[in-house]
């Protein structure tokens, strides 16, 4: 019911670090999960069952399915400030206020890297401040890490926020997904981990996670997990993977630059720094729903009406077309 | 900017958040396999496992599955997300397999089918749907039934009660008790039925009894809810094993059916199955499907592709489908052979004149021996035979070579232990 041990062990090393003491001391309760969704759902159900007075603070905005998951698990939700529309960046002051104002011991959902949908991540220093404040407030940090390696191209770098929290002694929860960084989307391969006081507690918590999984799907699908564990356990294959994930990340980063450059060359007077400041698969363009509708109706460009562009859909072949269309619908006459 | 990471805050928390998390009890089935592994005796036999084993007592990957996987590798299809409802080719194939390709319900588009995580996942989706849209309803489950049924309805917060099923006196079906209990339940209850090869007893209603069960369900306006985990594996015939489901559908009833390919295609760990809901009209099926999707999305978003593609390839290709039927007949045939040999051994060795023929009347992977817990313990402690404490043995884990030994153990446990 807990899934592939090999896959779990390698996943923990990726998230917590190869030399993590938590791993050595067997303090992490971890199970293979149905990708990121399944990991979040297992955790939400665990919260409902064992921490029935808890709630979850979810950033505004977030991946829409986060709301569905905690709602169907019947865990009350609150939101915290995150995105700053005026700067198309992080509303850090608002974020820190909400962290301070939440009751002590609140549960927070944090995107470890490449925030979905905004692409806006805190800086390293901002993460340190967040971690510090979490310590003061005894908040519980639950990280959803769906893009490790895919954001910067370097898995270690993309896990920096988690490492900062671990250094500060937080006992975190973490949902990991191999959908994007290994392209295993439909295989549903992921891992849920929860840091515990000691080995005995980790065994108990894991046993309860398995109890939650059992009446949902009995045990997780083997195929994707096998692929992951073979890759990560073989030095050559792992090295190949690291190259390939960097390749994917670099292509996206390259397209961000190209889109911004194109817009500037077209003479757009609007600020477009956020395109390259944001990270990961998505760009929160700042376009209005009406502008997005025009992109679709007049230029056959499809995106969500919140102005989120999936940079993965941008290529050297279409970036000029895209830039032109964006310029046309956003320029002031 | 201060480096906050160096500040070790003294936080007034002495007690761990997870202090109140107890160790979960060991799984009743897993515990059996673990104890079996730890046993060093040469004569040991694992009859707890609900997974098919060859005569050499090895797991079996079907040849047709290997063929399908090679084909898939050659085709080199991508790994993009499936839609929430799963692989269309799989959904079509699975509904046709279950109801028959020419069934009017399929032709009329009245079946909502969602690929789901094997039998468990299908049952759970249905349970969640029942909780949301039939919050006053209760599910009736057989006594006994597969252990995880209760967990599924409990976690989905759907109330359940039991209907009589197993009669220990006859080691057969308590048909009158079953009908009475279904009759006595509030109108509009969901009745969970095993389509074939009842787990754990191996005792199935006869076709005549199925008709009467359908009568009372219809009369009480209950919703029939089939768990079909062994289609093809019970009798060896896919169509015959689906006859109970088709009987209900033919009556024009709306029916829930959970399907699994774990056993019949040996795809256990791939987690491939489907929830099917036969509705009164296509428009109803569309609505039901849309809501099942809304329940699936916050559980796992979309189902895993690998198993679905295997099934779609095997069922969709006439040659491979024929090969599958062949292999399934062989698996079911092996089970029937060991059943026969076990019965023959028991009859020959047991001088008491006890009638062991109930074993031959049972069907599928399991046999309810009629042994009680103490007797089952004797099977393990004295004879190193591992089974579940309700007296269930998995014939899938039995070889012809071990039948006589098993017969000795059963006779000893039945007659010498109370």
């Amino acid at each position: 019911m807990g899934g592939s041990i090999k896959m779990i062990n390698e996943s923990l090393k990726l998230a917590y670090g190869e030399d993590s003491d938590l791993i050595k001391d067997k303090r992490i309760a971890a199970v293979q999960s149905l990708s990121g969704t399944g990991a979040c759902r297992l955790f939400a159900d665990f919260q409902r069952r064992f921490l029935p007075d808890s709630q979850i603070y979810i950033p505004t905005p977030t991946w829409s399915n986060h709301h569905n998951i905690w709602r169907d698990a019947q865990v009350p939700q609150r939101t915290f400030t995150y995105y700053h529309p005026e700067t198309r960046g992080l509303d850090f002051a608002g974020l820190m206020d909400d962290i301070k104002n939440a009751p002590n011991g609140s549960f927070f959902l944090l995107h470890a890297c490449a925030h979905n949908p905004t692409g806006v991540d805190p800086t390293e220093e901002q993460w340190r401040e967040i971690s510090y404040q979490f310590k003061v407030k005894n908040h519980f940090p639950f990280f959803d890490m769906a893009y490790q390696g895919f954001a910067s191209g370097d898995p270690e770098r993309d896990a920096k926020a988690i490492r900062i929290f671990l250094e500060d002694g937080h006992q975190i929860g973490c949902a990991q997904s191999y959908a994007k960084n290994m392209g295993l989307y439909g295989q549903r391969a992921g891992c849920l981990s929860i840091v515990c006081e000691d080995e005995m507690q980790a065994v108990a918590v894991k046993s309860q996670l398995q109890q939650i999984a059992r009446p949902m799907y009995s045990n997780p699908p083997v195929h994707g997990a096998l692929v992951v564990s073979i890759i990560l356990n073989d030095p050559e294959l792992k090295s190949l993977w690291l190259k390939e994930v960097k390749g994917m990340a670099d292509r996206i980063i390259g397209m961000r630059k190209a889109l911004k450059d194109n817009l500037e060359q077209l003479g757009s007077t609007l600020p477009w720094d956020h395109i390259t400041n944001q990270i990961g698969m998505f760009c929160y363009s700042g376009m209005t729903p009406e502008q997005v509708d025009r992109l679709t109706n007049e230029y056959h460009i499809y995106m969500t009406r919140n102005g989120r562009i999936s940079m993965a859909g941008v290529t050297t072949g279409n970036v000029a077309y895209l830039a032109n269309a964006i310029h046309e619908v956003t320029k002031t006459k | 900017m201060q480096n906050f990471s160096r500040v070790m805050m003294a936080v007034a928390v002495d007690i761990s958040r997870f202090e109140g998390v107890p160790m979960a009890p060991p799984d009743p089935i897993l515990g059996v396999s673990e104890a079996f592994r730890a046993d060093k005796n040469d004569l040991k036999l694992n009859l707890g496992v609900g997974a098919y084993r060859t005569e050499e007592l090895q797991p079996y990957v079907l040849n047709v599955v290997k063929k399908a996987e090679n084909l898939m590798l050659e085709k080199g299809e991508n790994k993009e997300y499936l839609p929430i409802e799963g692989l269309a080719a799989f959904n079509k194939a699975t509904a046709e397999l279950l109801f028959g390709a020419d069934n009017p319900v399929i032709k009329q588009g009245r079946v909502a089918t969602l690929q789901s995580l094997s039998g468990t996942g299908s049952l759970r989706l249905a349970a969640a749907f029942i909780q949301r849209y039939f919050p006053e309803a209760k599910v009736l489950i057989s006594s006994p039934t597969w252990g995880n049924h209760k967990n599924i309805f409990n976690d989905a917060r759907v109330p359940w009660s039991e209907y009589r099923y197993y009669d220990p006196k006859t080691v057969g079906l308590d048909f009158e008790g079953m009908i009475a209990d279904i009759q006595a339940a509030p109108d509009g209850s969901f009745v969970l039925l095993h389509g074939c090869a009842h787990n754990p007893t191996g005792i199935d209603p006869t076709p005549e009894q199925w008709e009467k069960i359908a009568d009372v369900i219809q009369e009480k306006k209950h919703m029939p809810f089939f768990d079909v985990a062994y289609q093809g594996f019970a009798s060896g015939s896919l169509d015959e094993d689906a006859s109970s489901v088709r009987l209900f559908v033919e009556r024009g009833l709306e029916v829930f059916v959970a399907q699994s390919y774990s056993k019949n295609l040996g795809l256990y760990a791939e987690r491939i199955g489907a929830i099917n809901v036969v509705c009164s009209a296509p428009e109803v099926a569309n609505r039901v499907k849309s809501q099942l999707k809304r329940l699936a999305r916050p559980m796992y978003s979309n189902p895993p592709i690998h198993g679905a593609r295997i099934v779609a390839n095997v069922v969709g290709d006439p040659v491979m489908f024929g090969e599958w039927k062949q292999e399934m007949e062989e698996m079911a045939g092996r089970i029937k052979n060991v059943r026969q040999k076990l019965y023959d051994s028991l009859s020959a060795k047991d001088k008491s004149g006890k009638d062991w023929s109930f074993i031959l009347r049972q069907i599928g992977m399991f046999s309810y021996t009629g042994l009680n817990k103490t007797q089952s313990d004797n099977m393990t402690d004295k004879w190193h035979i591992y089974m579940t404490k309700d007296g269930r043995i998995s014939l899938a884990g039995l070889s012809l070579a071990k039948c006589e030994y098993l017969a000795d153990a059963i006779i000893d446990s039945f007659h010498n232990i109370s």
Side-chain angles (χ1 to χ4, degrees), chain A residues 37 138 186 208 214 217-218, chain B residues 17 22 27 79 120 151 271 301:
Chain A
T37 305
N138 190 35
Q208 293 297 350
R214 189 161 165 260
Y217 51 82
S218 279
Chain B
R17 275 186 185 87
D27 186 274
K79 299 184 181 302
T120 306
N151 300 328
R271 320 309 295 127
S301 279

Side-chain angles (χ1 to χ4, degrees), chain A residues 96-166:
Chain A
M96 292 305 282
D97 275 346
D98 285 353
I99 291 173
K100 285 172 190 156
N101 292 332
N104 289 1
S106 294
F107 284 66
F108 276 74
L109 172 70
L110 303 167
H111 296 226
C113 62
H115 181 272
N116 177 0
T118 67
V120 170
D121 285 351
T123 62
E124 196 178 309
E125 277 317 310
Q126 288 172 330
W127 274 124
R128 291 187 192 283
E129 282 197 56
I130 295 168
S131 172
Y132 176 81
Q133 200 56 44
F134 264 56
K135 266 290 200 197
V136 170
K137 298 285 297 179
N138 190 35
H139 288 331
F140 182 96
F142 183 75
F143 282 96
D144 186 353
M145 184 156 66
Y147 299 98
Q148 187 183 12
F150 202 93
S152 69
D154 176 359
E156 278 301 298
R157 201 165 135 200
D158 288 344
K160 189 65 183 169
I162 289 180
R163 302 297 162 77
I164 287 169
F165 273 67
L166 293 174

Side-chain angles (χ1 to χ4, degrees), chain A residues 25 27 59 76 122 155 157 178 185 225 228 241 256 269 280 294 303:
Chain A
D25 297 340
R27 283 179 54 193
R157 201 165 135 200
Y178 291 97
Y185 305 93
V228 173
W241 171 57
R256 284 183 182 277
T269 54
R294 281 190 65 198
M303 65 176 73

